[in-house]
Amino acid sequence: METELSRELGIEHAIFGFTPFPAVAAAISRAGGFGVLGAVRYTDPQELARDLDRLDKLADGKPYGLDVVMPAKKVEGVTEADVEAMIPAGHRGFVQELLTRYGVPELAEGETSGWRITGWMEEVARNQLDVAFGYPIKLLANALGSPPADVIERAHAHGVLVAALAGSAEHARRHAAAGIDVVVAQGYEAGGHTGEIGSMVLVPEVVEAVAPLPVLAAGGIGSGEQAAAGLALGAQGVWLGSLWLTTEEADLHSAALTRKLLAAGSGDTVRSRALTGKPARQLRTAWTDAWDDPAGPGTLPMPLQGLLVAEAVSRIQKYEVGELLGTPVGQIVGRMTSERSVQAVVDDLTRGFERAVTRLHRIAGRSAT
């Protein structure tokens, strides 16, 4: 699975793996792909430095990247406390009622939430970059589109390629105009924040819109045959996230959540604003149903919703409250039926890719005669 972009980055397979776990990112890189560590959960720069130390050591000299969440427009002078003060009391009451209804225990005295969607904030994200550019990262990806112009310039000054996710051809054109090096065309099927257009339609539209910039196909890809389809549509690689959640190297801290993922089918996800305030594909649970119910107060815009539910999500995860327990994941969850090593997943992807290419060569050969 070698393309012009994979050769530029020095990787064997054009498989880009997004993950919140340093051990998984390192294993993807060691297996010949390109591991990308998600940074949104790191509010403390020292914690990010600790995990980048670990990733760098485990990667064994193989290239890797970092994914941040930054708005394109810089916001000055807004603190997390300022944003917290904007959350209506009625929404706080709704969260408490849900937790009480399902018997979710309180956190221990003095224990703080371990789940905070605050990496979107200008100060937090820039602190992450101050740490990241001290490591040999080869790619900086931004989940909210193009990062600010000065961040792109800074990355390029360090010899780092910049990637941005796009859910439409128009988004992709804006990224190209901003100086982005790689566009990730993320289809409707993907886990996490995603748009309205399916991958089969989106990928060729984005490829055409930003040519000759390289495009990565994302969303609904969990097999080598699907990866081959992405490359056949013009992509120079595939961007996979959900598939790594049930690998042996992943650290979900919840056996119950792993079991739910392994048992879920492709129809067991929903696009909901319940987690962050923006449409994000995740497991459908009683939690998402409650927030999507017209009888409820409705979700708040990003970042208010993420701050509102942070402690609640931590409590649900800690105590493994089955009805409410979920996670961002794509429709590809239906293929995630057993725990495997990252190496086994990559091997399966490359074998499937070879089968697809062989099949197409055979079909083309018959058509020509």
Side-chain angles (χ1 to χ4, degrees):
M1 293 183 63
E2 192 175 86
T3 65
E4 185 178 343
L5 180 61
S6 69
R7 287 191 291 271
E8 180 178 358
L9 290 169
I11 58 177
E12 183 179 358
H13 309 301
I15 297 171
F16 294 74
F18 166 81
T19 174
F21 308 118
V24 175
I28 293 168
S29 292
R30 289 199 310 272
F34 190 92
V36 181
L37 179 66
V40 70
R41 65 189 179 95
Y42 294 100
T43 58
D44 182 348
Q46 292 184 345
E47 291 182 6
L48 177 59
R50 177 202 64 201
D51 278 1
L52 283 173
D53 282 338
R54 184 183 178 204
L55 168 54
D56 193 65
K57 181 178 180 180
L58 292 175
D60 197 25
K62 302 294 185 179
Y64 58 87
L66 190 75
D67 179 279
V68 297
V69 179
M70 291 187 75
K73 295 181 179 179
K74 188 173 181 178
V75 180
E76 299 281 5
V78 178
T79 68
E80 185 175 333
D82 294 332
V83 179
E84 288 267 15
M86 301 177 190
I87 298 173
H91 282 74
R92 293 190 187 277
F94 182 72
V95 170
Q96 187 55 52
E97 189 277 327
L98 272 176
L99 297 175
T100 300
R101 186 193 315 171
Y102 287 94
V104 184
E106 298 276 356
L107 296 176
E109 185 175 351
E111 185 177 0
T112 58
S113 168
W115 187 93
R116 301 289 281 175
I117 294 293
T118 54
W120 62 270
M121 295 187 69
E122 187 77 16
E123 180 183 358
V124 174
R126 288 183 178 275
N127 286 340
Q128 292 170 346
L129 295 178
D130 289 341
V131 172
F133 287 129
Y135 291 82
I137 63 171
K138 300 298 183 185
L139 178 77
L140 175 67
N142 189 37
L144 284 184
S146 305
D150 67 296
V151 171
I152 297 174
E153 293 174 6
R154 187 178 178 190
H156 288 166
H158 282 83
V160 176
L161 297 181
V162 181
L165 274 66
S168 71
E170 182 55 37
H171 291 164
R173 290 188 191 97
R174 290 202 294 267
H175 297 340
I180 293 298
D181 305 293
V182 180
V183 176
V184 181
Q186 180 165 281
Y188 173 85
E189 309 93 327
H193 296 131
T194 185
E196 302 280 353
I197 306 173
S199 299
M200 187 65 71
V201 173
L202 178 65
V203 173
E205 286 186 347
V206 171
V207 168
E208 181 178 352
V210 302
L213 286 184
V215 172
L216 300 178
I221 300 174
S223 72
E225 288 84 355
Q226 290 165 323
L231 269 62
L233 293 172
Q236 288 200 30
V238 291
W239 177 277
L240 313 178
S242 300
L243 198 61
W244 316 107
L245 289 173
T246 53
T247 56
E248 294 169 357
E249 293 88 347
D251 190 12
L252 285 177
H253 297 294
S254 174
L257 181 54
T258 298
R259 289 194 296 271
K260 287 191 76 170
L261 288 168
L262 294 176
S266 56
D268 293 328
T269 69
V270 63
R271 284 174 76 245
S272 171
R273 298 177 184 267
L275 193 60
T276 68
K278 284 184 176 291
R281 186 171 297 284
Q282 55 204 278
L283 283 178
R284 182 178 180 179
T285 65
W287 176 264
T288 61
D289 286 348
W291 281 105
D292 295 338
D293 188 340
T299 56
L300 297 170
M302 188 180 193
L304 299 181
Q305 183 71 15
L307 292 172
L308 168 66
V309 305
E311 182 181 321
V313 171
S314 286
R315 288 164 61 182
I316 292 165
Q317 292 177 345
K318 176 178 180 179
Y319 299 109
E320 298 188 325
V321 182
E323 298 95 330
L324 303 178
L325 188 62
T327 187
V329 70
Q331 292 180 330
I332 202 64
V333 69
R335 295 189 63 90
M336 297 155 52
T337 57
S338 64
E339 291 186 72
R340 299 180 293 166
S341 68
V342 167
Q343 182 67 63
V345 172
V346 173
D347 288 345
D348 186 56
L349 288 168
T350 56
R351 283 194 297 266
F353 179 82
E354 290 173 357
R355 286 194 300 270
V357 171
T358 298
R359 185 183 306 120
L360 291 174
H361 282 165
R362 187 171 61 249
I363 292 171
R366 282 204 298 266
S367 298
T369 58

